[in-house]
Amino acid sequence: PPATPERLGDGLSWALQAAKEAEDVAAVDCSGHGSVFLDGVTGEDGRPGCECNSCFSGPDCSVRIPNCAADGQGGDPLFLEPYWKRHAAASAVVFSGWHRLSYITTDGHLKSVELDRQIRRLHRAVGNAVVDDKYLVFGTGSTHLINALVYALSPEGNAASPPASVVATVPYFAMYKSQTVMFDGREYRWDGTTAAWANNNSSRNPTRGFIEFVTSPNNPDSTLHEPILAGSSAIVDHAYYWPHLTHIPAPADEDVMLFTTSKLSGHAGSRFGWALVRDEKVASRAISYIEESTVGTSRETQLRVLKILKVILANLHGKEDIFAFGYDVMSSRWRRLNAVVSRSTRISLQKMPPQYCTYFNRIKEPSPAYAWVKCEWVEDDDCYETLLAAGINSLTGTVNEAGTRYTRLSLIKTQDDFDMLLERITEFVDAEKHGRAPAASSSM
Amino acid sequence: PPATPERLGDGLSWALQAAKEAEDVAAVDCSGHGSVFLDGVTGEDGRPGCECNSCFSGPDCSVRIPNCAADGQGGDPLFLEPYWKRHAAASAVVFSGWHRLSYITTDGHLKSVELDRQIRRLHRAVGNAVVDDKYLVFGTGSTHLINALVYALSPEGNAASPPASVVATVPYFAMYKSQTVMFDGREYRWDGTTAAWANNNSSRNPTRGFIEFVTSPNNPDSTLHEPILAGSSAIVDHAYYWPHLTHIPAPADEDVMLFTTSKLSGHAGSRFGWALVRDEKVASRAISYIEESTVGTSRETQLRVLKILKVILANLHGKEDIFAFGYDVMSSRWRRLNAVVSRSTRISLQKMPPQYCTYFNRIKEPSPAYAWVKCEWVEDDDCYETLLAAGINSLTGTVNEAGTRYTRLSLIKTQDDFDMLLERITEFVDAEKHGRAPAASSSM
């Protein structure tokens, strides 16, 4: 290779080809109903094709699939994809082939020192968490940190101490239980719902040896929560505690807090989360877990998240504030959904009043990530099935131990997903006056 | 933003700025003894500075640190960094801000379908593993798959079955034990060394209920190994089974095999590994573990690894074959180290004969990743301490249960690391005729 590489055009040399490839792929027209990705499946021409949103198909995603069911099931945060398409230049990042080959980044760390700094800057600027007296632990998604923190808060594995009891309040995020049960350490065990133990909870009889999962705002019902069991450890999952998805009454300051890019910037596929931990020993045990499990988190992801956070920080409180963008999308979706469901006696949503938000410095309408749907009619004793019969896929409340009367609808997916969801819900509500489900129904 | 973005220079628009940033950082001169990274710690000028190789310092890494100890401890595969600097254009990759936000990639998978294809192509082209009858499981490094496979091979967690016994042969890779002990499931337990159970190993008394770790080539001693316990499950770690680090006698075809980019392409920081698994149920349990633990692996990493594998594939058997490049570096290091150590009565290395390699279609000199050093003198009963006193950091054989007579030297790090190592070893061997350690010694 030439010692001084030939300079082409803009003065670019080795990065030019990759930049062109990325722009070529991004320029493919998918009719606004899909995207092409560099690692998409290649067709006969050797090039990746459009990957279409739900309910669209065809080479350019222009064909709307007839009688397509609305998909309100998953928590895919694609409502922010348009934001990143608008900020293409600022958010792009180029990896050289030799970027961070080593296990080690700066100064012997497994994590990027710059990313640590930017995460702390972001929390300070948004005012949603107190970071100054906390250790920061990175994980491959906050998912990875669920078990890392359970491990870190459990008694050390000598025979004497009984295992910690891991509990959560109904309706809880199902993965707290499924992960605790699957990984099944000798130092901890899933021990059911918090309420079953709360009666023992007095100053005379503190509930030691418990690890209480709290999600705030809660998934699925989007309300703010605090730990219940006195004297126990709590892992407070603040995945949704950002100003586009909730009001922020004050900076959170629990001993152990969880965050993720997934619901902050929409980068779920990056698999990046972090914990803020007050106690040094707990942080150190969680870091040991992550090191032992995966030798830290992907360095590609760390660089990309660094870039994404810089864009977010540069635009806070400005015209292109991601939280203002996200809040507009989500509050509009909630308002439109409520307008339809308010005409129904058959289903209802969680009640959410307007609330003062310290970040926006005003009272805001709600903008929850999920609608928590209750089926009110006696005969609809499986709400998930009731909606499914109307062509609406949701996540049944049984996974949250909330029972079959409840089911969760995701509002954070693509605009196509939301539009389809609203269309099907409207048909469903309109059909009520006929006392039966709409035509799509096959179960009634 | 403009609907038709302004086209600049080479016809690039949104990717131009990121491409320039990456090239600017790469152009900083670190005297050949360091690199600048996009996510490096920024100085007062707001730009990341040089990160120097061991034993070098200064703003441009031009200052050699006097009396610096040689670092032969870690397994950082930086010997391949020069290859990627030579292939800068082909191996660069550009991420748009909206690349793969979703949890899901193509067709509902958590993994890239294209990457799956390229991994299989690579194994077929290199001839180091049979892939056609195997399932492919991705992990955040092969590290992540260690416990995923232990879980997958253990009896399902109902009370009736006793836990699986996890074992390995001395000298073994320490993480098999440390991870098994730390994660400490109820379905499996670390049960020591394979040899302790091999006596029970007959057709009359097969060793069922065992999970045997085998590393081939072995870490630390670089010899090829096969499972010993009949009737047991084996996890065969082929991290080093690539033609730059061993001869390839035949495609590996065990039921459960592990691979990693770390020792293939040098991308340790990417945290990417994969398992090839014959049995559908075992693969499916391992995938469940990965999904539950981290919801799959980073999509940034998957895209970058895809690009890296394409470069490797495009150059196989050509002038720029990565395995030819890596083999030249590693066989030269081994030859030079042996030339020095062969003059010593105090230390010896593992014996490695030339062997026929199906990939290169010829008999090759050895090119191991590690030197497995034995201290021969009676008084040197802690070989790690003996080398440390001579200014050489290594990894003591006690972590492999091989005892203090042995210690491991890494040969896969930067050329600077190897040069320093050879210098210190040469001093150490030269000092033998004086019947004592060289001047740097403080323990004798």
Side-chain angles (χ1 to χ4, degrees):
Chain A
T4 310
E6 200 185 341
R7 289 284 183 163
L8 308 164
D10 294 315
L12 288 182
S13 65
W14 58 265
L16 178 63
Q17 179 183 328
K20 283 191 165 164
E21 280 169 18
E23 291 202 359
D24 284 351
V25 155
V28 175
D29 179 20
C30 301
S31 312
H33 300 297
S35 295
V36 186
F37 298 105
L38 275 171
D39 57 357
V41 174
T42 55
E44 287 177 18
D45 60 356
R47 311 174 80 153
C50 286
E51 300 187 17
C52 303
N53 294 344
S54 311
C55 299
F56 290 87
S57 70
D60 64 351
C61 303
S62 63
V63 181
R64 199 178 138 152
I65 299 170
N67 303 318
C68 182
D71 192 354
Q73 185 167 75
D76 239 355
L78 292 168
F79 72 110
L80 290 169
E81 197 179 64
Y83 181 85
W84 297 111
K85 290 190 173 173
R86 255 158 87 161
H87 292 272
S91 61
V93 60
V94 173
F95 285 79
S96 67
W98 63 91
H99 179 76
R100 297 276 184 218
L101 295 192
S102 175
Y103 289 105
I104 303 297
T105 65
T106 316
D107 297 334
H109 293 89
L110 296 181
K111 63 180 187 177
S112 159
V113 174
E114 275 298 303
L115 181 53
D116 182 305
R117 279 189 196 167
Q118 300 294 331
I119 287 172
R120 291 175 189 274
R121 274 188 65 198
L122 183 66
H123 281 301
R124 286 189 201 102
V126 172
N128 69 335
V130 178
V131 291
D132 291 331
D133 56 349
K134 306 290 190 317
Y135 296 89
L136 192 44
V137 186
F138 291 180
T140 304
S142 56
T143 307
H144 198 200
L145 291 161
I146 291 175
N147 197 244
L149 292 168
V150 166
Y151 167 83
L153 292 167
S154 295
E156 302 208 38
N158 48 40
S161 42
S165 295
V166 183
V167 296
T169 295
V170 172
Y172 60 80
F173 177 50
M175 202 171 233
Y176 304 141
K177 175 177 177 182
S178 60
Q179 203 178 97
T180 305
V181 168
M182 179 184 266
F183 296 155
D184 196 19
R186 289 182 236 266
E187 301 88 354
Y188 54 83
R189 63 163 176 248
W190 180 257
D191 235 341
T193 67
T194 312
W197 303 97
N199 294 337
N200 297 330
N201 182 21
S202 67
S203 54
R204 277 190 316 167
N205 189 15
T207 42
R208 300 204 188 283
F210 280 75
I211 298 170
E212 181 184 357
F213 273 106
V214 178
T215 324
S216 183
N218 195 31
N219 172 0
D221 66 6
S222 302
T223 54
L224 297 185
H225 279 293
E226 289 182 1
I228 289 176
L229 298 181
S232 73
S233 303
I235 298 170
V236 186
D237 185 344
H238 286 305
Y240 302 86
Y241 198 57
W242 296 100
H244 43 4
L245 298 173
T246 181
H247 67 290
I248 307 289
D253 195 24
E254 292 94 355
D255 290 346
V256 180
M257 301 186 272
L258 263 180
F259 291 90
T260 165
T261 54
S262 179
K263 298 334 188 257
L264 160 61
S265 67
H267 291 83
S270 299
R271 312 309 312 128
F272 189 77
W274 62 94
L276 294 171
V277 179
R278 194 185 312 269
D279 182 73
E280 183 179 4
K281 196 174 155 211
V282 173
S284 151
R285 292 191 77 201
I287 289 168
S288 295
Y289 179 104
I290 298 294
E291 289 184 1
E292 197 68 37
S293 167
T294 60
V295 196
T297 60
S298 156
R299 312 311 183 258
E300 286 87 2
T301 293
Q302 293 190 47
L303 172 56
R304 186 158 179 244
V305 170
L306 176 63
K307 189 77 177 243
I308 294 296
L309 294 196
K310 283 181 176 173
V311 176
I312 291 175
L313 273 158
N315 289 289
L316 286 186
H317 293 298
K319 197 165 57 74
E320 290 290 324
D321 185 335
I322 191 172
F323 299 120
F325 175 94
Y327 172 72
D328 285 348
V329 173
M330 294 306 297
S331 59
S332 154
R333 290 183 182 180
W334 181 248
R335 190 173 56 247
R336 293 171 67 196
L337 180 66
N338 265 271
V340 174
V341 175
S342 66
R343 295 190 282 109
S344 173
T345 62
R346 193 171 181 187
I347 55 172
S348 64
L349 306 178
Q350 76 267 41
K351 299 284 173 271
M352 304 197 76
Q355 297 268 13
Y356 179 76
C357 175
T358 53
Y359 178 77
F360 287 115
N361 195 22
R362 64 181 171 86
I363 293 176
K364 287 194 315 185
E365 293 298 317
S367 54
Y370 305 110
W372 185 232
V373 178
K374 185 178 182 191
C375 279
E376 303 280 356
W377 290 6
V378 176
E379 60 266 43
D380 293 335
D381 55 2
D382 188 332
C383 197
Y384 164 81
E385 289 292 345
T386 299
L387 292 191
L388 195 63
I392 302 161
N393 195 14
S394 61
L395 187 67
T396 171
T398 55
V399 305
N400 319 102
E401 292 196 41
T404 58
R405 279 275 156 197
Y406 289 90
T407 197
R408 190 192 80 171
L409 289 176
S410 175
L411 306 179
I412 55 178
K413 300 176 77 176
T414 65
Q415 194 61 40
D416 282 340
D417 282 316
F418 181 75
D419 289 345
M420 186 60 67
L421 179 67
L422 199 65
E423 194 176 312
R424 293 275 172 269
I425 292 274
T426 304
E427 290 166 4
F428 177 80
V429 172
D430 286 348
E432 273 183 39
K433 57 186 159 208
H434 309 295
R436 53 184 295 279
S441 167
S442 59
S443 74
M444 301 195 64
Chain B
T4 309
E6 199 185 342
R7 289 282 184 166
L8 307 164
D10 293 315
L12 287 182
S13 65
W14 58 265
L16 178 62
Q17 180 183 327
K20 283 190 165 166
E21 281 169 18
E23 291 202 359
D24 284 351
V25 155
V28 176
D29 179 20
C30 301
S31 311
H33 300 297
S35 295
V36 185
F37 298 105
L38 275 171
D39 57 357
V41 175
T42 55
E44 286 177 19
D45 61 354
R47 311 174 79 152
C50 287
E51 301 186 16
C52 303
N53 293 344
S54 310
C55 299
F56 289 87
S57 71
D60 64 350
C61 303
S62 62
V63 180
R64 198 176 137 152
I65 299 170
N67 303 317
C68 183
D71 192 354
Q73 185 167 77
D76 240 354
L78 292 168
F79 72 111
L80 290 170
E81 198 179 64
Y83 182 85
W84 297 111
K85 289 190 174 174
R86 255 158 88 161
H87 293 272
S91 62
V93 61
V94 172
F95 285 79
S96 67
W98 63 92
H99 178 76
R100 298 274 185 219
L101 295 193
S102 175
Y103 291 104
I104 303 296
T105 64
T106 317
D107 298 333
H109 293 89
L110 295 181
K111 63 180 188 178
S112 159
V113 174
E114 274 299 303
L115 181 53
D116 182 305
R117 279 189 197 168
Q118 299 293 331
I119 288 172
R120 291 175 189 273
R121 273 190 65 199
L122 183 66
H123 281 301
R124 285 189 201 104
V126 173
N128 68 334
V130 177
V131 292
D132 291 331
D133 55 350
K134 306 291 190 316
Y135 296 89
L136 191 43
V137 187
F138 291 0
T140 303
S142 56
T143 307
H144 198 200
L145 292 161
I146 291 175
N147 198 242
L149 292 168
V150 165
Y151 168 83
L153 292 167
S154 295
E156 301 209 37
N158 48 39
S161 41
S165 295
V166 182
V167 297
T169 294
V170 172
Y172 59 80
F173 178 49
M175 202 172 234
Y176 303 141
K177 175 176 176 183
S178 61
Q179 202 178 99
T180 304
V181 168
M182 179 185 265
F183 296 155
D184 197 20
R186 289 182 235 265
E187 301 89 354
Y188 54 84
R189 64 164 175 247
W190 180 256
D191 235 340
T193 67
T194 311
W197 304 97
N199 294 338
N200 297 329
N201 183 22
S202 67
S203 54
R204 277 191 316 167
N205 189 16
T207 42
R208 300 204 189 282
F210 279 76
I211 298 170
E212 181 184 357
F213 273 106
V214 177
T215 323
S216 184
N218 195 29
N219 172 0
D221 66 6
S222 303
T223 53
L224 297 186
H225 279 293
E226 290 183 1
I228 291 176
L229 298 181
S232 74
S233 303
I235 299 170
V236 185
D237 186 344
H238 285 305
Y240 302 86
Y241 199 57
W242 296 100
H244 44 3
L245 297 173
T246 182
H247 67 290
I248 305 289
D253 195 23
E254 291 95 354
D255 290 347
V256 180
M257 300 186 273
L258 263 179
F259 291 90
T260 165
T261 54
S262 179
K263 281 21 180 221
L264 161 61
S265 67
H267 291 83
S270 298
R271 315 306 313 125
F272 189 78
W274 63 94
L276 294 171
V277 179
R278 194 186 311 271
D279 182 74
E280 184 179 5
K281 196 174 155 212
V282 174
S284 150
R285 292 191 76 200
I287 290 168
S288 294
Y289 179 104
I290 298 293
E291 289 184 359
E292 196 69 37
S293 167
T294 60
V295 196
T297 61
S298 156
R299 313 310 183 259
E300 286 87 1
T301 294
Q302 293 190 46
L303 172 55
R304 187 159 178 242
V305 170
L306 176 64
K307 189 76 177 245
I308 294 297
L309 294 196
K310 282 180 177 173
V311 176
I312 291 175
L313 274 158
N315 288 289
L316 286 186
H317 293 299
K319 196 165 59 72
E320 290 291 323
D321 185 334
I322 192 173
F323 299 120
F325 175 95
Y327 173 71
D328 286 347
V329 173
M330 294 306 298
S331 58
S332 154
R333 291 184 182 180
W334 181 247
R335 190 172 58 244
R336 293 172 66 198
L337 180 65
N338 266 271
V340 174
V341 175
S342 65
R343 295 191 283 110
S344 174
T345 63
R346 193 171 182 187
I347 55 171
S348 65
L349 306 179
Q350 76 268 39
K351 300 284 172 271
M352 303 198 75
Q355 296 268 14
Y356 179 76
C357 175
T358 53
Y359 179 76
F360 287 115
N361 194 22
R362 62 182 172 86
I363 292 176
K364 286 195 315 185
E365 294 299 316
S367 54
Y370 304 109
W372 185 231
V373 178
K374 185 178 181 191
C375 280
E376 303 280 357
W377 291 6
V378 176
E379 61 267 42
D380 293 336
D381 56 0
D382 188 331
C383 196
Y384 165 80
E385 289 292 345
T386 300
L387 292 191
L388 194 63
I392 302 162
N393 195 15
S394 61
L395 187 66
T396 172
T398 55
V399 305
N400 318 103
E401 293 196 40
T404 58
R405 279 276 154 197
Y406 288 90
T407 196
R408 188 192 81 171
L409 289 176
S410 175
L411 307 179
I412 55 178
K413 300 176 76 175
T414 65
Q415 193 61 39
D416 282 340
D417 283 316
F418 181 76
D419 290 344
M420 186 62 65
L421 180 66
L422 200 65
E423 195 176 312
R424 294 274 172 269
I425 293 274
T426 304
E427 291 165 3
F428 177 81
V429 172
D430 287 347
E432 274 182 40
K433 56 186 161 211
H434 309 296
R436 53 183 295 279
S441 168
S442 60
S443 74
M444 301 195 66

